[in-house]
Amino acid sequence: MEKIREFVETLKIGRKQSYLNMILFPLLAAQTSEPDYLTLGEALERGVVRVTEIDESGSVPELKLLNTGGENLLLVEGEELMGAKQNRIVNATFLIPGNTEVKLPVSCVEQGRWSYRSRDFRTSGKMMHASLRRDSQKHVRASVAEGRGFRSDQGEIWDSISEKARRLRAEAPTGAMFDLYESADASLETYLRAFRLVECQVGAIFAINDRIVGLDCFGFEDTFKRFFERLIESYALDAVDWRGESKADVPVGLEHSRRFRDAIAESQAQSHPSLGLGNTLRFESGGLSGAALVHEGRVLHLSAFEKGNESGGGSIGFQRFSSRRSHRNL
């Protein structure tokens, strides 16, 4: 946990950006070094990584990943892979060494299809929406602690996507998460235009309806730039869904974001070997929980989410889907 504490305490919080019911606080770090790995998108573009079904029959919770390049490969929790028998998301952030083949822990985000559309997967440029990533992270944390690997609750993921599609009135014939983004594309585009990167930005704290709901941060500015738009969309999809919900009594401000950042530094963590290189640290406090990948003393990716009313502490945060009404207008 010391590495997380040291990392978080170096992060400065930038000026608030806001649009409609969503707020972003940039996280800034003074560093100039470049990543010593490729992201999945970069590796696919260069043709040095191949992701396929585990075999001809396929297996929902795992894929085969072959990194034929000499560089390490960073896969980020929640990023989506499209194709093969059904679309999947990566269950945690992993650093896969070069010239390595692994079984990649994934979850299905397309319940209604089990037939080949392609032999290889490609990146969709989307991430699992933030509220579902929070819930999935909770189940993965429990699975890792119990020695069962990086497993999610597949049924909950399917149910959550289905419920969100219903609320957003999205056309999703195969129950695909990607179709939620396509359905809300016009609204999401307005959120994308409203938020901007700033110099030295490595992450952001996000708030919806004046409640802080999550944080994503990378060890390198370049990596955050590559994930900036998909992170904005992943939180904005929840913001679109939650328009019209009541806001917190007090507008969220800089002091709220500082308390959230500091609560991460004060959390208790458990370290576990990761798939590939480094260690995964799973941490929680009374009001938040999260995960980080640490390799050679450096935090490569850290995500944290407000627990909300599930824990009995903190702000309302992410509400349970079953307790919320349908929103007809995007």
Side-chain angles (χ1 to χ4, degrees), residues 97-111:
N99 302 306
T100 301
E101 181 178 307
V102 298
K103 290 183 179 179
L104 182 65
V106 294
S107 299
C108 170
V109 286
E110 188 181 15
Q111 184 178 10

Side-chain angles (χ1 to χ4, degrees), residues 2-11 217-219 299 302:
E2 188 62 30
K3 292 301 179 184
I4 291 180
R5 184 178 298 107
E6 291 174 358
F7 175 69
V8 169
E9 289 177 349
T10 66
L11 299 175
C217 195
F218 291 88
V299 174
L302 183 151

Side-chain angles (χ1 to χ4, degrees), residues 67-109:
N67 181 10
T68 61
E71 295 182 78
N72 296 335
L73 170 69
L74 184 75
L75 298 113
V76 176
E77 168 194 270
E79 65 177 313
E80 185 181 32
L81 292 157
M82 294 185 71
K85 288 196 164 189
Q86 58 184 194
N87 299 347
R88 315 292 221 290
I89 60 97
V90 182
N91 282 353
T93 298
F94 302 115
L95 187 66
I96 308 301
N99 302 306
T100 301
E101 181 178 307
V102 298
K103 290 183 179 179
L104 182 65
V106 294
S107 299
C108 170
V109 286

Side-chain angles (χ1 to χ4, degrees), residues 173-329:
T174 61
M177 181 188 74
F178 185 82
D179 289 336
L180 305 186
Y181 284 97
E182 290 291 285
S183 177
D185 182 66
S187 292
L188 296 179
E189 182 61 31
T190 66
Y191 282 86
L192 280 173
R193 290 198 301 266
F195 296 100
R196 66 190 184 281
L197 282 163
V198 298
E199 188 177 358
C200 298
Q201 186 172 359
V202 295
I205 297 173
F206 297 88
I208 299 173
N209 293 341
D210 274 323
R211 299 178 176 98
I212 290 181
V213 293
L215 173 153
D216 272 277
C217 195
F218 291 88
F220 296 95
E221 181 181 1
D222 181 74
T223 309
F224 183 73
K225 286 180 180 179
R226 295 181 183 278
F227 282 88
F228 177 70
E229 289 193 356
R230 69 183 80 179
L231 283 168
I232 294 294
E233 285 189 322
S234 76
Y235 282 91
L237 191 66
D238 285 327
V240 169
D241 188 11
W242 300 350
R243 283 181 192 169
E245 294 289 336
S246 61
K247 293 188 175 184
D249 294 335
V250 179
V252 68
L254 181 60
E255 185 57 33
H256 297 89
S257 63
R258 284 174 177 163
R259 287 202 299 265
F260 191 84
R261 178 200 60 187
D262 294 345
I264 295 173
E266 297 165 2
S267 298
Q268 299 298 313
Q270 292 185 333
S271 179
H272 304 273
S274 184
L275 173 71
L277 302 173
N279 289 288
T280 180
L281 274 65
R282 304 275 157 171
F283 59 88
E284 61 181 321
S285 67
L288 61 81
S289 63
L293 178 67
V294 178
H295 176 56
E296 295 182 343
R298 185 174 199 126
V299 174
L300 299 186
H301 176 231
L302 183 151
S303 59
F305 299 101
E306 221 279 335
K307 284 184 178 179
N309 54 12
E310 286 189 353
S311 66
S315 65
I316 292 176
F318 293 136
Q319 300 176 39
R320 298 301 303 168
F321 295 127
S322 59
S323 67
R324 301 186 50 259
R325 67 180 181 272
S326 173
H327 296 289
R328 298 175 181 272
N329 298 317

Side-chain angles (χ1 to χ4, degrees), residues 48-203:
V48 296
V49 65
R50 187 181 184 199
V51 186
T52 64
E53 298 290 354
I54 199 75
D55 53 32
E56 186 64 26
S57 298
S59 173
V60 172
E62 55 188 4
L63 299 175
K64 182 167 67 175
L65 183 147
L66 177 61
N67 181 10
T68 61
E71 295 182 78
N72 296 335
L73 170 69
L74 184 75
L75 298 113
V76 176
E77 168 194 270
E79 65 177 313
E80 185 181 32
L81 292 157
M82 294 185 71
K85 288 196 164 189
Q86 58 184 194
N87 299 347
R88 315 292 221 290
I89 60 97
V90 182
N91 282 353
T93 298
F94 302 115
L95 187 66
I96 308 301
N99 302 306
T100 301
E101 181 178 307
V102 298
K103 290 183 179 179
L104 182 65
V106 294
S107 299
C108 170
V109 286
E110 188 181 15
Q111 184 178 10
R113 177 172 70 92
W114 188 247
S115 58
Y116 277 105
R117 285 183 179 166
S118 62
R119 288 291 162 177
D120 289 16
F121 284 90
R122 60 183 175 86
T123 179
S124 72
K126 307 295 182 186
M127 294 184 72
M128 179 183 279
H129 49 280
S131 58
L132 184 50
R133 187 153 60 96
R134 188 280 307 263
D135 290 344
S136 178
Q137 188 182 90
K138 175 186 66 177
H139 290 291
V140 171
R141 180 173 66 251
S143 178
V144 170
E146 294 166 4
R148 297 185 290 110
F150 295 85
R151 296 277 177 159
S152 68
D153 184 331
Q154 182 62 72
E156 180 178 77
I157 289 174
W158 282 334
D159 289 346
S160 296
I161 292 172
S162 177
E163 290 173 13
K164 204 170 196 70
R166 174 183 55 79
R167 290 195 305 276
L168 294 175
R169 294 184 174 267
E171 292 292 331
T174 61
M177 181 188 74
F178 185 82
D179 289 336
L180 305 186
Y181 284 97
E182 290 291 285
S183 177
D185 182 66
S187 292
L188 296 179
E189 182 61 31
T190 66
Y191 282 86
L192 280 173
R193 290 198 301 266
F195 296 100
R196 66 190 184 281
L197 282 163
V198 298
E199 188 177 358
C200 298
Q201 186 172 359
V202 295

